[in-house]
Amino acid sequence: MLENMPHWLGQALSNWRAGADALAIARPELTVATRLTLDSPAFADGARLPVRFTDDGEGVSPPLLWRDLPVGAASLALLVEDADSPTPQPLVHAVVWGLSPDDGGLAEGAIVDDGEGDAEGRDVGRNSYRRQGWLPPDPPTGHGEHRYAFQLFALDGGAVLEGHDPGRTALIAAMAGHVLAAGLLVGTYSREALAPIGAVGPSGALA
């Protein structure tokens, strides 16, 4: 949807960003000293996301790998947010609850609508468009680079989620006080600015 924003409007809003300090991983109730490792075979930390995973490509979720989990981790939760969306809070691109620490990662395209979850307890929640599954990045043209924060939380056995298809608010409430370790992987994406068309003369014709 944001790809339809006019270039001039995206440029005008370039300084309007949610900010990294608004990410869930920065919240005091979720911040812990222990760090786990979150990687992707598709992109490096801080590097540009391949088009395949965005709204300009196939729009599938990227593959993820995790390791260095703490002893006692009973489950994992994943939250992907856009720290640079022109909104008061980061735009949510994915919520996944109940990941097994033993899985070691998520395959490409794994974050999809799963109804009320699967038999193993995993549940794909709602993104900011209130749909289950992966919301492909689609930053406004002219708004500059966006940082997509893949945040993975290792949880103890006391973390309980009420209901299914969690959104950001429910996820944070369920995780508060139960985070043993957290990991962060950032991918970036932007839409290029429009090419200049040249100077305009007094008559309105192109120079």
Side-chain angles (χ1 to χ4, degrees):
M1 294 178 68
L2 293 181
E3 77 274 12
N4 297 319
M5 184 181 291
H7 173 264
W8 68 265
L9 183 54
Q11 199 166 44
L13 294 173
S14 61
N15 291 326
W16 290 54
R17 297 172 184 267
D21 57 347
L23 293 172
I25 202 168
R27 296 175 68 103
E29 66 269 36
L30 302 182
T31 301
V32 290
T34 304
R35 182 176 182 176
L36 59 83
T37 301
L38 180 63
D39 292 313
S40 175
F43 64 96
D45 186 32
R48 183 176 172 87
L49 286 168
V51 172
R52 175 173 177 76
F53 308 118
T54 75
D55 202 52
D56 295 326
E58 290 84 349
V60 296
S61 60
L64 299 172
L65 300 171
W66 54 74
R67 63 182 189 276
D68 302 327
L69 302 182
V71 174
S75 65
L76 305 173
L78 176 71
L79 176 61
V80 185
E81 298 179 291
D82 178 1
D84 295 296
S85 60
T87 50
Q89 294 295 324
L91 202 68
V92 176
H93 286 262
V95 172
V96 187
W97 173 266
L99 290 165
S100 171
D102 297 331
D103 288 347
L106 278 173
E108 179 180 303
I111 305 176
V112 294
D113 187 332
D114 66 350
E116 295 186 6
D118 61 27
E120 303 300 321
R122 194 181 92 169
D123 191 7
V124 175
R126 291 175 285 107
N127 55 47
S128 281
Y129 288 177
R130 302 193 66 77
R131 301 171 189 156
Q132 289 187 49
W134 171 248
L135 176 63
D138 65 337
T141 301
H143 197 252
E145 185 176 83
H146 281 220
R147 294 163 294 171
Y148 297 90
F150 294 74
Q151 305 155 86
L152 186 68
F153 301 89
L155 308 174
D156 64 29
V160 177
L161 181 70
E162 299 294 336
H164 56 83
D165 305 340
R168 181 182 192 267
T169 300
L171 184 77
I172 290 174
M175 294 194 300
H178 297 287
V179 179
L180 300 177
L184 176 66
L185 173 66
V186 177
T188 67
Y189 194 67
S190 62
R191 286 195 167 96
E192 301 301 327
L194 297 179
I197 60 173
V200 178
S203 65
L206 295 180

